[in-house]
Amino acid sequence: MNWNEKYPIVVTCARGIAPYLEEELRSLPFALRGATETAVETEGSLEEAMGLNLHLRTAHRVLLRLHTFQADGPDDLYRAVTAFPWEDLLADRGYFSVTATVRNPAIRDSRYAVLRFKDGIADRFCRITAGRPDSGPARLKAVFHLHWIGKEASFFLDTSGEPLSKRGYRKRPWKAPMAETLAAATIQASRWNRESHFVNPMCGSGTLAIEAALAALGRPAGRTRENFGFMHILGFSDKSWKERLKEAGKKERPSLPFKIIATDRDPEALAAARENARAAGVSGHITFSVCPFEETEIPRGDGVIFMNPEYGERMGDSARLGEVYSRIGDFLKGKGQGYRGYVFTGNPDLAKSVGLRSRRRIPFFNGPIECRLLEYELYEGSRKSKSLPENGPAIE
């Protein structure tokens, strides 16, 4: 495979994140060819896709489109797969897996389409080489993706392999952790410019504080990860990858002239957050403390206070959490002057208990749960904060 040949690239993301992914792609810079609610299309080579996997913070998968064709049923799919030169991508004793999105009347179960896809690759290798690659469900080596809607089908090289949300640093997830990509997107939506304080009470396993530190340092999101799908494609150069890491490292900041603070009242949560921060290589840039959120240190100056409280899913939660959300409002109003406050929640009724008027209500999805990132002005008058520019993606 020619690693410098240009292909259409589809970068996927969770619902609600596409505007922030578009911002990232423009900044790298990549030209945008189109966007949907869960994907942004651009163009680039496999060599350039390595850079996308390294740097993108809000993306889920980086898919390089290999071939598009018409298929009425599984036989058409099989013929298209067997005609494609997979031997240019895979070693005959290698390993691959296949994922699929299928909506075709001839296919009742997408697993059957995956099986035909795998059979097509295996049969081609048997016909033209001495060996054949193995296959299975694990996405730890080469990964291909089938997208088949109606009669139009495409297959992609999934250059990411496992989802990019799996940064590699979350050693102790703790309770209901926010996905790394969602955390990065909400921080981006807050318009924090990475030059002012970032305060994260109720930090849990530390994902928000860690993502804030990585962004502020200019450290690529994929730096702590050791395995990507592109690493198992013929022609991959470990030297080229290490050179990318080295060049990215030269652009990182050695220290931060402001504070990133993470607190939680649960000592076990703080232990998890510290371990995850160490794995991410940012523990020295985050101040951790065990305390109720009301006792969190708010440094003089400006910045953001970012909170991700429970949403409430069990009987009796609403009354208990309503009181917690009310205390959050008191805390933000009482200690947050000069900052902007952000509360991320999937419960609009509980959000009313904060008791403050939100300036923005930015939509996101945490899995299937529709959520809002609520922004609160926490200073008096109309003074503008130099650390928080007004421009940003469209909101409600």
Side-chain angles (χ1 to χ4, degrees):
M1 184 175 187
N2 184 346
W3 280 62
N4 293 307
E5 183 180 348
K6 297 288 186 178
Y7 293 87
I9 292 177
V10 176
V11 186
T12 68
C13 61
R15 291 175 67 189
I17 291 181
Y20 309 101
L21 175 57
E22 288 186 52
E23 285 186 348
E24 283 199 281
L25 285 165
R26 287 193 189 98
S27 71
L28 285 175
F30 277 75
L32 305 185
R33 305 299 185 193
T36 67
E37 189 179 27
T38 57
V40 180
E41 185 166 343
T42 183
E43 182 183 62
S45 65
L46 183 50
E47 183 75 25
E48 290 171 319
M50 289 201 300
L52 292 177
N53 280 281
L54 177 61
H55 290 286
L56 288 175
R57 302 184 189 280
T58 63
H60 189 62
R61 304 163 78 182
V62 179
L63 304 174
L64 191 148
R65 185 184 293 130
L66 299 172
H67 184 53
T68 296
F69 56 98
Q70 296 293 303
D72 289 325
D75 291 341
D76 294 329
L77 170 64
Y78 177 82
R79 281 191 290 269
V81 174
T82 55
F84 190 81
W86 301 102
E87 64 277 8
D88 293 343
L89 284 75
L90 284 172
D92 58 9
R93 299 292 182 182
Y95 173 94
F96 71 95
S97 60
V98 176
T99 61
T101 300
V102 179
R103 290 197 294 273
N104 178 282
I107 302 294
R108 295 183 179 180
D109 190 332
S110 63
R111 289 176 294 183
Y112 180 62
V114 168
L115 179 62
R116 294 291 279 166
F117 196 119
K118 290 180 177 180
D119 287 345
I121 294 178
D123 290 350
R124 178 177 178 89
F125 271 91
C126 287
R127 190 171 70 237
I128 65 174
T129 71
R132 54 174 286 180
D134 195 9
S135 65
R139 294 162 61 176
L140 299 176
K141 293 192 177 181
V143 181
F144 302 110
H145 179 69
L146 169 66
H147 187 268
W148 187 7
I149 306 298
K151 293 185 177 182
E152 184 168 298
S154 298
F155 38 78
F156 296 81
L157 168 60
D158 184 345
T159 67
S160 305
E162 289 193 300
L164 293 178
S165 58
K166 296 186 177 182
R167 307 276 204 245
Y169 66 69
R170 185 177 281 169
K171 306 303 180 182
R172 293 177 62 179
W174 196 234
K175 300 176 182 177
M178 181 184 282
E180 293 90 329
T181 46
L182 177 59
T186 57
I187 292 170
Q188 190 174 330
S190 76
R191 301 174 298 171
W192 178 56
N193 75 342
R194 309 172 188 179
E195 295 291 345
S196 58
H197 305 302
F198 185 95
V199 182
N200 179 212
M202 296 180 160
C203 72
S205 59
T207 305
L208 279 162
I210 292 169
E211 289 295 323
L214 290 171
L217 290 164
R219 185 168 298 172
R223 180 179 165 181
T224 54
R225 186 160 139 170
E226 297 179 352
N227 185 49
F228 293 89
F230 61 77
M231 293 178 170
H232 307 280
I233 300 302
L234 292 177
F236 168 69
S237 168
D238 186 60
K239 179 182 178 181
S240 177
W241 175 244
K242 288 179 178 176
E243 286 175 353
R244 281 185 177 273
L245 292 176
K246 184 178 179 180
E247 286 302 310
K250 291 178 181 178
K251 299 177 183 178
E252 292 182 18
R253 300 167 75 171
S255 61
L256 301 176
F258 52 86
K259 287 189 174 183
I260 297 178
I261 294 172
T263 71
D264 202 286
R265 67 178 183 177
D266 191 324
E268 291 189 40
L270 256 292
R274 285 192 176 100
E275 183 176 341
N276 294 336
R278 281 194 296 271
V282 297
S283 59
H285 303 282
I286 303 174
T287 300
F288 293 100
S289 298
V290 177
C291 67
F293 68 82
E294 294 97 333
E295 297 177 14
T296 300
E297 175 195 0
I298 308 296
R300 292 179 63 86
D302 59 7
V304 301
I305 302 172
F306 214 115
M307 304 181 74
N308 178 27
E310 294 181 56
Y311 307 161
E313 297 178 351
R314 299 179 299 274
M315 292 294 290
D317 275 352
S318 294
R320 174 180 64 84
L321 290 177
E323 187 267 337
V324 172
Y325 276 65
S326 178
R327 287 163 45 208
I328 288 174
D330 293 340
F331 165 68
L332 293 175
K333 183 169 57 177
K335 295 186 67 175
Q337 291 86 355
Y339 282 67
R340 284 189 184 179
Y342 293 89
V343 175
F344 184 83
T345 182
N347 191 319
D349 292 330
L350 286 173
K352 297 174 184 176
S353 298
V354 173
L356 299 175
R357 183 175 180 178
S358 58
R359 184 173 182 271
R360 294 194 298 162
R361 302 171 62 87
I362 309 168
F364 284 99
F365 284 83
N366 190 356
I369 303 173
E370 186 173 354
C371 300
R372 293 292 183 273
L373 178 64
L374 308 175
E375 177 185 273
Y376 301 99
E377 299 279 8
L378 301 178
Y379 46 79
E380 296 180 356
S382 59
R383 177 171 58 87
K384 300 292 184 183
S385 172
K386 63 183 179 181
S387 66
L388 296 161
E390 291 301 320
N391 60 307
I395 58 171
E396 291 183 315

